[in-house]
Amino acid sequence: MDKISPCLWFDGQAEEAAHYYASVFGGSVDHVTYYPEQNPSPSPMPGGGVLLVEFTLFGQSYQALNGGPQFQFDEAISLSVACEDQAELDHYFDVLTADGGKPGPCGWVTDRYGLSWQLVTKGIMANYRTGDRQGIARMMQAMMTMEKLDTAAMQAAFEGRAA
């Protein structure tokens, strides 16, 4: 277990979600902990049901907690995926928006569980680090018109040329 692990709150779908994320990203489900039969917590989750699932994606540990319906995901927290290229970005976009997921603006998607993801390529992230404010401004202007990012169009905008 990492020193710091994101803990994601679910309403009964923690184990299902952990297996889903492990399948999407080639990770692993490492451990499942169950509520005691006589659940002493204020959680509405049933005794004997799944309490916490520990899973790993790309070497980063995560926790999925079945805490009940009180809290829902929103865009205040998202997981950012640095894709190698447009093909990998397209793959994750298609998988995460399938079966109840939905696209959002500027490369964000919300998966079937309501968790937000940012899908971007390493090349686009490298452009942000150049300090070229005009190029970045042009690239961001192009990005504002997109749901799924078109990295070729964003690169063209960064370089100041037509796509």
Side-chain angles (χ1 to χ4, degrees), residues 9-15 34-52 65-70:
W9 183 289
F10 293 90
D11 182 17
Q13 313 97 339
E15 186 172 23
Y34 298 89
Y35 279 103
E37 287 300 325
Q38 300 300 317
N39 184 3
S41 80
S43 167
M45 303 309 292
V50 172
L51 166 63
L52 184 72
L65 171 72
N66 275 331
Q70 331 48 329

Side-chain angles (χ1 to χ4, degrees), residues 57-130:
L57 306 176
F58 294 110
Q60 168 67 50
S61 65
Y62 293 84
Q63 300 170 352
L65 171 72
N66 275 331
Q70 331 48 329
F71 302 112
Q72 304 292 314
F73 293 121
D74 66 28
E75 289 78 11
I77 185 80
S78 63
L79 300 178
S80 184
V81 182
C83 301
E84 291 296 327
D85 54 27
Q86 186 71 47
E88 185 178 27
L89 186 148
D90 291 347
H91 167 74
Y92 289 134
F93 184 92
D94 293 343
V95 171
L96 292 170
T97 58
D99 300 323
K102 57 187 174 214
C106 303
W108 289 51
V109 299
T110 302
D111 70 25
R112 65 175 95 172
Y113 301 102
L115 183 60
S116 293
W117 298 81
Q118 296 179 56
L119 305 176
V120 66
T121 63
K122 291 179 179 179
I124 294 303
M125 291 307 296
N127 287 345
Y128 282 111
R129 292 186 202 101
T130 66

